[in-house]
C-alpha cells in the first residue's frame, strides 16, 4: 500500500476511536460519581451506627489497661475483666522450685464489678466516633477495684498447701562439753516450717503492690524468703544466752577452786574439788549443787564433832568411867547457819581455814576431845575436887557439897562456869540469908563454887548432915587458886 493511502486509513481509524471515547466518558463519570455517593452513604451509615454504638459500647480504638474490649458494653467488659482477673495465676516459688500455685479467684480476690463498670462507662462516654484507621489505639489506664475475702485468703495461704518437706527451727542452747570441761553454746538451726501469718503478710504485700501499679501480671511469681519461716526464739548471738554460759562456766570454775578447811584444834577436815565434785550435777541444765549432799555432809560433821547435849562418858581421876546424862558442856555445830555459809563460800570459790559455825562452844578442843586435859572434877561421894589444866593437876581439895535431899542436892552432870566474881554476896529471899564470899564461880541453876568463912572442916560425911544448899564449898586458899586458874566457860564435871 502506498504511503498516502496508509495515512488515510490511520486517520479514518483515529476518527472512529475518538467518537467512541466521547460516547463512553459520561457513563464512566456517572459510575464514579455513583461509587463515591455509595461510599459516602456507607460511611455516613457507619459513622451514624458507630456514633450510636459508641455511646454504650467500646470501639476498636480504645484499650483498657492494654486490652481491647471491642463491642462490649461496660457491664460486659467488667464481667470479662473480672473473669480474666480471677483466672490470673499466682506461683509460689521456693529455692527456684514451684511449691504452690493457684488463681487470684482461689486466693479470695475479685474485682468490684459495680465500681469497675462506673470507670468503664466514663471511658465509653468519652469515646469519639470515627474510623481512626490511621491512628494508634488509645490505651486508658484505670485502677483495679480489688475485693478480697479475708477468710478465703487466709485459708488459701497456709503451710499445709505447700509441697516439700518441712523442718522446724531449733533454739540455740547451752550444753556441757565433757572434753572441754566447760559449757558451750550449741548454735540454733534454721528450719523451713512456715509461719502462716508471715506467709500471708508477704503475699498480701506483694499483691497490694501489684494492684497499685495497675499492671497486673497474668502469671505472678512470689518467692518465699526467710521472713516466712518460723525463726528460732533463742539464738547464739543473744547476750542473755552468752551471759548464761559465762555465768555457768564462772560458777563451775569457782566450785573447782574452792577449798574449805574446818579446824578442830589440830584436827582438820578439808572440802576440796574431789569432794565438791560429788555434790554437783553438771549437765545441760546447768551447775547444780545438791542441797541434800551438802546437808548430809554437815550432819555427819556434827555427828562426829558435836559433844554437848548427848550422853558423855567421863574417866575420873580414879580411873572409873562415869556416864554423864546431864551434859551441858561442849560444842554444837549450827547446821543451818553452817550450810548457808558453806554454799556461799563454795559458789564464790573461797579458800579459807576456819572453825564451823557453832551455836554452842566449849572451852577448848582438839578433834573430838573437847577437854584437852582442862576441867574441874568433883566427886560427891568422895567430897573431893580436882582442878586440871592442859593435862596438869593444878590443885585438889576436900569440899562440902549440897545436902543429899531433893531440895538441896548438888546437880550432877557436865556444866560450864558461867562467870566468876570477887568479892560477891550470896543471898536468897526464900531461905533468908546474905552471905559474903571472896570468890564466886557459878555453874548451873544458882549453884556454884565458893569459899565459906564459917565452915572450918571439909570432906568426909559433913555434907550429909551439914551440907550446903547445893553449892560446892571450898577452903579459902583453894577457892583462890581455882578462881585465879579458871575463866568463864571452864568445864566442870560433877558425879
Amino acid at each position: 500500500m502506498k504511503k498516502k493511502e496508509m495515512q488515510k486509513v490511520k486517520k479514518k481509524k483515529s476518527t472512529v476511536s475518538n467518537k467512541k471515547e466521547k460516547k463512553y466518558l459520561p457513563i464512566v463519570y456517572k459510575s464514579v460519581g455513583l461509587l463515591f455517593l455509595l461510599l459516602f452513604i456507607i460511611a455516613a451509615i457507619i459513622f451514624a451506627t458507630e456514633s450510636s454504638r459508641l455511646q454504650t459500647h467500646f470501639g476498636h480504638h480504645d484499650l483498657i489497661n492494654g486490652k481491647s474490649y471491642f463491642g462490649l458494653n461496660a457491664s460486659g467488659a467488667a464481667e470479662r475483666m473480672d473473669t480474666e482477673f480471677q483466672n490470673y495465676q499466682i506461683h509460689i516459688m521456693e529455692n527456684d522450685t514451684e511449691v504452690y500455685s493457684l488463681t487470684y479467684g482461689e486466693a479470695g480476690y475479685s474485682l468490684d464489678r459495680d465500681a469497675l463498670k462506673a470507670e468503664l462507662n466514663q471511658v465509653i462516654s468519652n469515646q469519639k466516633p470515627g474510623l481512626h484507621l490511621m491512628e494508634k489505639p488509645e490505651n486508658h489506664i484505670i485502677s483495679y477495684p480489688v475485693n478480697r475475702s479475708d477468710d478465703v485468703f487466709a485459708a488459701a495461704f497456709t503451710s499445709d498447701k505447700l509441697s516439700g518437706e518441712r523442718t522446724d527451727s531449733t533454739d540455740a542452747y547451752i550444753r556441757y562439753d565433757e572434753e572441754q570441761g566447760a559449757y558451750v553454746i550449741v548454735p540454733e538451726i534454721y528450719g523451713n516450717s512456715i509461719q502462716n501469718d508471715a506467709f500471708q503478710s508477704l503475699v498480701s504485700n506483694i499483691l497490694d503492690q501489684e494492684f497499685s501499679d495497675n499492671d497486673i501480671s497474668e502469671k505472678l511469681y512470689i518467692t518465699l524468703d526467710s521472713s516466712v519461716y518460723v525463726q528460732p526464739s533463742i539464738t547464739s548471738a543473744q547476750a542473755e544466752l552468752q551471759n548464761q554460759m559465762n555465768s555457768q562456766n564462772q560458777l563451775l570454775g569457782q566450785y573447782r577452786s574452792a577449798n574449805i578447811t574446818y579446824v578442830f584444834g589440830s584436827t582438820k577436815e578439808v572440802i576440796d574439788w574431789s569432794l565438791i565434785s560429788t555434790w554437783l550435777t553438771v549437765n545441760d541444765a546447768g551447775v547444780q549443787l545438791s542441797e541434800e549432799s551438802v546437808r548430809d555432809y554437815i550432819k555427819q560433821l556434827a555427828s562426829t564433832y558435836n559433844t554437848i547435849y548427848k550422853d558423855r562418858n567421863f574417866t575420873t581421876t580414879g580411873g572409873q568411867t562415869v556416864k554423864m546424862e546431864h551434859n551441858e558442856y561442849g560444842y554444837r555445830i549450827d547446821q543451818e547457819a553452817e550450810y548457808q555459809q558453806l554454799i556461799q563460800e563454795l559458789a564464790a570459790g573461797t579458800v579459807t581455814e576456819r572453825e564451823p559455825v557453832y551455836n554452842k562452844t566449849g572451852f577448848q578442843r582438839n578433834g573430838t576431845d573437847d577437854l584437852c586435859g582442862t576441867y574441874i572434877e568433883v566427886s560427891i561421894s568422895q567430897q573431893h575436887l580436882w582442878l586440871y589444866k592442859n593435862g596438869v593437876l593444878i590443885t585438889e581439895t576436900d569440899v562440902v557439897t549440897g545436902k543429899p535431899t531433893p531440895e538441896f542436892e548438888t546437880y550432877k552432870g557436865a556444866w560450864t562456869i558461867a562467870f566468876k566474881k570477887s568479892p560477891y554476896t550470896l543471898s536468897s529471899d526464900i531461905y533468908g540469908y546474905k552471905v559474903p564470899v571472896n570468890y564466886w564461880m557459878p555453874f548451873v541453876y544458882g549453884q556454884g563454887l565458893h569459899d565459906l568463912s564459917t565452915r572450918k572442916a571439909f570432906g568426909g560425911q559433913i555434907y550429909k548432915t551439914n551440907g550446903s544448899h547445893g553449892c560446892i564449898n571450898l577452903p579459902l586458899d583453894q577457892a583462890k587458886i581455882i578462881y585465879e586458874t579458871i575463866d568463864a566457860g571452864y568445864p566442870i564435871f560433877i558425879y
Side-chain angles (χ1 to χ4, degrees):
M1 186 178 289
K2 294 181 178 180
K3 185 177 181 183
K4 189 176 285 189
E5 290 176 351
M6 289 179 66
Q7 289 177 345
K8 287 182 180 180
V9 171
K10 287 181 179 180
K11 186 174 181 181
K12 185 177 179 179
K13 287 181 177 180
S14 176
T15 303
V16 172
S17 177
N18 287 336
K19 287 181 179 180
K20 286 182 179 181
E21 288 178 358
K22 289 180 181 180
K23 181 179 179 180
Y24 288 110
L25 276 177
I27 296 173
V28 170
Y29 289 150
K30 287 180 181 180
S31 297
V32 170
L34 288 172
L35 177 61
F36 276 111
L37 178 61
L38 179 61
L39 290 175
F40 177 79
I41 293 171
I42 292 173
I45 293 171
I46 291 174
F47 182 84
T49 302
E50 183 181 15
S51 296
S52 175
R53 182 176 57 80
L54 291 182
Q55 293 179 5
T56 58
H57 293 72
F58 281 102
H60 73 278
H61 186 259
D62 290 283
L63 304 180
I64 303 299
N65 293 345
K67 289 190 176 184
S68 172
Y69 294 93
F70 176 72
L72 296 177
N73 60 15
S75 178
E79 181 178 354
R80 180 190 291 182
M81 288 180 70
D82 184 25
T83 300
E84 291 172 346
F85 172 81
Q86 291 192 46
N87 286 326
Y88 287 171
Q89 295 283 318
I90 301 172
H91 299 272
I92 306 299
M93 308 297 293
E94 184 178 31
N95 298 324
D96 298 326
T97 301
E98 182 178 295
V99 293
Y100 183 38
S101 67
L102 72 168
T103 65
Y104 280 57
E106 291 169 337
Y109 287 95
S110 62
L111 297 181
D112 185 336
R113 294 187 182 186
D114 290 337
L116 187 60
K117 182 179 176 181
E119 289 193 69
L120 294 174
N121 274 324
Q122 184 64 41
V123 175
I124 289 173
S125 66
N126 291 330
Q127 290 184 119
K128 296 179 181 179
L131 296 179
H132 308 292
L133 295 177
M134 304 304 294
E135 297 181 12
K136 292 182 179 180
E138 182 179 355
N139 186 34
H140 300 273
I141 303 300
I142 67 173
S143 61
Y144 286 94
V146 178
N147 288 332
R148 187 179 84 181
S149 169
D150 291 339
D151 290 340
V152 174
F153 177 85
F157 295 100
T158 57
S159 60
D160 60 303
K161 299 294 194 304
L162 305 181
S163 63
E165 293 185 2
R166 298 287 154 187
T167 58
D168 294 332
S169 296
T170 60
D171 291 340
Y173 63 95
I174 295 174
R175 178 177 63 82
Y176 181 71
D177 189 300
E178 292 285 353
E179 293 184 1
Q180 299 184 46
Y183 284 92
V184 297
I185 292 177
V186 178
E188 66 279 6
I189 296 176
Y190 289 88
N192 62 350
S193 293
I194 300 296
Q195 184 179 359
N196 288 338
D197 288 347
F199 179 27
Q200 293 162 15
S201 178
L202 173 69
V203 174
S204 181
N205 290 338
I206 291 175
L207 288 176
D208 287 347
Q209 183 62 47
E210 182 85 356
F211 301 151
S212 68
D213 292 342
N214 291 316
D215 184 19
I216 300 177
S217 303
E218 294 185 15
K219 290 185 177 182
L220 177 65
Y221 293 87
I222 297 177
T223 300
L224 300 182
D225 58 30
S226 60
S227 68
V228 304
Y229 298 133
V230 178
Q231 302 295 314
S233 57
I234 301 174
T235 67
S236 55
Q238 290 177 347
E240 182 178 354
L241 192 65
Q242 294 280 348
N243 292 338
Q244 186 179 351
M245 178 189 69
N246 294 336
S247 175
Q248 292 298 323
N249 283 329
Q250 181 181 3
L251 180 59
L252 186 58
Q254 288 169 336
Y255 280 130
R256 286 191 175 120
S257 62
N259 188 294
I260 313 298
T261 301
Y262 291 115
V263 178
F264 302 94
S266 61
T267 301
K268 296 181 180 180
E269 297 282 352
V270 179
I271 299 176
D272 57 15
W273 176 243
S274 63
L275 178 58
I276 297 169
S277 62
T278 67
W279 298 345
L280 294 179
T281 300
V282 182
N283 53 32
D284 296 349
V287 182
Q288 297 177 335
L289 183 66
S290 170
E291 177 179 344
E292 182 180 3
S293 296
V294 177
R295 290 190 182 276
D296 284 346
Y297 174 82
I298 295 173
K299 183 178 180 180
Q300 184 60 44
L301 201 69
S303 177
T304 301
Y305 292 100
N306 281 0
T307 59
I308 196 173
Y309 303 137
K310 61 182 182 179
D311 291 348
R312 172 194 290 268
N313 291 325
F314 175 72
T315 302
T316 69
T317 299
Q320 296 176 327
T321 299
V322 178
K323 184 177 182 180
M324 296 287 181
E325 294 182 348
H326 299 288
N327 175 27
E328 295 196 18
Y329 169 78
Y331 292 81
R332 185 174 72 173
I333 295 173
D334 187 331
Q335 295 188 46
E336 181 59 33
E338 177 56 40
Y339 170 78
Q340 296 298 334
Q341 181 167 334
L342 178 57
I343 61 173
Q344 290 178 14
E345 290 173 342
L346 293 175
T350 302
V351 177
T352 187
E353 188 172 287
R354 63 174 176 84
E355 289 186 320
V357 179
Y358 291 113
N359 53 24
K360 290 290 182 179
T361 57
F363 194 73
Q364 60 184 21
R365 78 177 308 164
N366 188 22
T368 57
D369 180 8
D370 61 352
L371 297 180
C372 304
T374 299
Y375 56 90
I376 300 169
E377 176 185 347
V378 178
S379 170
I380 293 177
S381 62
Q382 298 177 58
Q383 290 291 287
H384 201 78
L385 177 149
W386 296 264
L387 172 62
Y388 292 93
K389 187 169 186 178
N390 298 324
V392 177
L393 178 63
I394 302 301
T395 189
E396 61 177 306
T397 180
D398 287 336
V399 297
V400 175
T401 62
K403 192 174 181 179
T405 64
E407 186 179 5
F408 297 122
E409 64 180 349
T410 299
Y411 296 119
K412 297 175 182 179
W415 318 104
T416 60
I417 300 300
F419 63 90
K420 61 180 187 177
K421 186 73 174 178
S422 177
Y424 192 79
T425 300
L426 302 174
S427 63
S428 172
D429 293 335
I430 296 175
Y431 299 108
Y433 65 80
K434 280 189 177 183
V435 178
V437 298
N438 292 287
Y439 304 102
W440 170 239
M441 296 159 279
F443 49 83
V444 69
Y445 307 136
Q447 296 182 1
L449 302 168
H450 64 85
D451 59 289
L452 187 62
S453 58
T454 58
R455 190 178 293 282
K456 303 305 180 183
F458 298 87
Q461 302 299 309
I462 299 172
Y463 79 104
K464 291 184 177 180
T465 57
N466 190 24
S468 70
H469 289 174
C471 289
I472 299 173
N473 297 162
L474 303 167
L476 178 60
D477 60 336
Q478 293 299 314
K480 183 177 186 299
I481 293 171
I482 296 171
Y483 186 91
E484 292 176 350
T485 301
I486 71 171
D487 288 302
Y490 213 89
I492 179 170
F493 291 80
I494 305 170
Y495 57 90

